[in-house]
Amino acid sequence: MALADNAGCAKPSEDFPFPEIIELNVGGQVYITRHPTLVSVPGSLLWEMFTQKNVRSLARDSKGRFFVDRDGFLFRYILDYMRDQQLVLPDHFPERSRLQREAEYFMLPELVKMLAPKLSKQNSLGDDPCQSDPEELSPSADAARSLTSASAALPSAVAGGPGSTAASGTGTAGPEARRAGFITIGYRGSYTLGRDSQTDAKFRRVARIMVCGKTSLAKEVFGDTLNESRDPDRPPERYTSRYYLKFTFLEQAFDKLADAGFHMVACNSTGTCAFAHDQTDDRIWTSYTEYVFYRE
């Protein structure tokens, strides 16, 4: 937890404007580290920020912590690298390319090189234990590659020549490449209903749309709109119930599922009621609703 009002931190002096212990707010995530750690890589963005004498030029949040408007989850790996200049990532790390972008922003060229995809002698991605991009390829991309290979092997079939009968058999590669499975989306909603049931109900906006299902399917359907910060290291073939969407429109989620070939097979909802105020008969209804989608 963050130290209140920088309690326990060394007081900065006139010659050295930064304390020994520094609190950072990176995209809403709070980090506490030592000043030598932040300046351990000369020429980096953090080095430039925390070697200047004009401390007032640095942004701060409401509690006085230095604020950096970047991905708060991925900063943990940036900070780990700043400590010992080594890169250690968990297995099945799905955000390698995003971490590389963060390394570029913080001006850490050696870390950028470590995160760059390794090429084998055949100019293909090597067997890097941290590489996680291949499992995120969507079935549509797999189908496109299959069709490309088929067209290269059977040019006459693509052109409508004598081999067109054989080519028609490969046309099913697209649907077959799409994996079957379930995706469940859920949300909590509430509305206030007055004493007179004929009056208009006051609805509140959906705060968050949750996503449950296999990680690979969720990434395929929702792509960059899927927030994985609550379960970032989930392998692609494992199930999760901790993802949520970066938007709050149910119709948008339904559109994405429909475009990916899913159709709704079930839904359920539960609700509770409570009085809004002791002095009034206004009641607040709170509900949780889930929609189950399936693709054959």
Side-chain angles (χ1 to χ4, degrees):
M1 297 178 62
L3 302 177
D5 300 328
N6 291 329
C9 295
K11 298 294 183 180
S13 63
E14 293 182 359
D15 296 332
F16 189 73
F18 294 99
E20 173 71 13
I21 305 300
I22 293 180
E23 294 183 52
L24 297 173
N25 178 348
V26 183
Q29 299 289 329
V30 177
Y31 293 88
I32 302 177
T33 186
R34 298 176 63 245
H35 179 268
T37 300
L38 297 176
V39 298
S40 60
V41 180
S44 66
L45 178 63
L46 293 173
W47 179 86
E48 291 182 356
M49 291 174 58
F50 293 97
T51 54
Q52 59 178 304
K53 294 184 178 180
N54 186 10
V55 182
R56 295 182 179 179
S57 63
L58 298 179
R60 294 177 181 258
D61 64 8
S62 59
K63 294 187 178 180
R65 296 178 290 233
F66 294 103
F67 180 75
V68 182
D69 189 16
R70 299 300 294 181
D71 190 306
F73 168 76
L74 293 178
F75 185 75
R76 62 185 292 192
Y77 302 107
I78 299 294
L79 191 58
D80 282 345
Y81 174 79
M82 299 290 287
R83 292 187 176 113
D84 52 19
Q85 279 72 61
Q86 294 184 5
L87 175 64
V88 180
L89 297 178
D91 295 335
H92 306 290
F93 185 69
E95 300 189 87
R96 189 182 184 90
S97 59
R98 293 182 60 187
L99 180 57
Q100 183 180 5
R101 184 177 62 184
E102 295 299 300
E104 293 172 351
Y105 175 82
F106 285 102
M107 297 171 10
L108 300 169
E110 293 301 320
L111 180 57
V112 173
K113 292 179 182 179
M114 294 179 185
L115 291 166
K118 294 180 174 59
L119 297 178
S120 65
K121 294 181 180 180
Q122 290 77 20
N123 293 327
S124 60
L125 288 175
D127 294 329
D128 186 353
C130 293
Q131 190 69 30
S132 60
D133 292 337
E135 73 255 12
E136 297 182 11
L137 293 176
S138 64
S140 59
D142 295 337
R145 286 199 302 272
S146 300
L147 293 175
T148 301
S149 300
S151 62
L154 301 171
S156 60
V158 176
S164 58
T165 302
S168 62
T170 63
T172 59
E176 290 179 356
R178 299 200 306 182
R179 291 159 290 183
F182 290 89
I183 289 182
T184 302
I185 63 173
Y187 74 95
R188 296 187 184 278
S190 63
Y191 62 92
T192 303
L193 190 63
R195 178 186 305 177
D196 184 2
S197 60
Q198 302 300 322
T199 58
D200 293 336
K202 298 179 180 179
F203 287 90
R204 300 180 182 179
R205 69 180 182 87
V206 177
R208 180 171 292 178
I209 300 176
M210 308 300 298
V211 177
C212 309
K214 187 175 289 187
T215 300
S216 57
L217 287 179
K219 291 181 179 180
E220 174 200 336
V221 174
F222 297 107
D224 293 338
T225 63
L226 187 71
N227 194 315
E228 308 168 45
S229 61
R230 298 177 63 198
D231 202 359
D233 304 327
R234 178 66 58 177
E237 296 306 315
R238 298 291 297 274
Y239 291 87
T240 181
S241 60
R242 297 179 59 82
Y243 290 166
Y244 63 94
L245 301 180
K246 297 178 181 179
F247 55 84
T248 57
F249 297 100
L250 284 172
E251 295 81 0
Q252 187 174 351
F254 293 164
D255 286 343
K256 288 183 175 295
L257 287 161
D259 292 341
F262 285 80
H263 62 276
M264 187 187 303
V265 296
C267 67
N268 67 82
S269 181
T270 60
T272 58
C273 176
F275 287 98
H277 303 286
D278 295 336
Q279 295 79 13
T280 66
D281 290 335
D282 291 350
R283 290 173 294 179
I284 297 180
W285 287 87
T286 302
S287 65
Y288 177 74
T289 306
E290 286 186 340
Y291 301 93
V292 182
F293 290 82
Y294 177 70
R295 183 173 68 187
E296 297 180 354

